[in-house]
Amino acid sequence: MGSQAQNAPEVYVDVGEFPLAQPFSIQISVCAEATVHEVRVDAFMPAHQHGLNYAPEVSALGDGLFRVDGLLFHMPGLWELQTDVEFRGRSVSYTSEISLK
């Protein structure tokens, strides 16, 4: 995932595939020297100006790993997966584009 912030930790998303209209889970790995206090995940469709119908649930697994359950891309098109990571008193945003057919 990419971020525009300077000195931002690397963030990786592990998912087999992004299914259409079916709930799925992902695992997020944050490579940071500092303790990550919180991770928030959301998704948005820029062309339709709307996001997810349900809020996903993020669970900390330890060692910079987080599991995100309850994601559901309910329609085809371009989605932006947005992840906010809080560490050292600051929040860094990451965005990854996903195209579903």
Side-chain angles (χ1 to χ4, degrees), residues 1-97:
M1 298 191 91
S3 174
Q4 300 294 327
Q6 275 190 314
N7 302 319
E10 294 291 321
V11 172
Y12 300 96
V13 174
D14 182 20
V15 63
E17 66 180 71
F18 292 99
L20 178 61
Q22 295 179 26
F24 65 97
S25 298
I26 61 174
Q27 185 168 304
I28 295 177
S29 177
V30 181
C31 302
E33 307 238 343
T35 300
V36 174
H37 297 286
E38 185 178 9
V39 170
R40 291 180 305 281
V41 176
D42 201 356
F44 184 73
M45 289 192 87
H48 296 273
Q49 296 296 303
H50 68 74
L52 298 170
N53 288 336
Y54 305 98
E57 183 177 319
V58 179
S59 304
L61 303 176
D63 294 328
L65 295 175
F66 297 84
R67 180 179 170 90
V68 183
D69 295 305
L71 286 163
L72 190 142
F73 295 146
H74 57 277
M75 56 189 300
L78 178 67
W79 286 86
E80 291 181 349
L81 183 65
Q82 302 167 335
T83 303
D84 294 323
V85 177
E86 287 193 18
F87 70 106
R88 289 189 181 149
R90 69 186 250 209
S91 182
V92 178
S93 296
Y94 298 83
T95 302
S96 186
E97 291 186 345

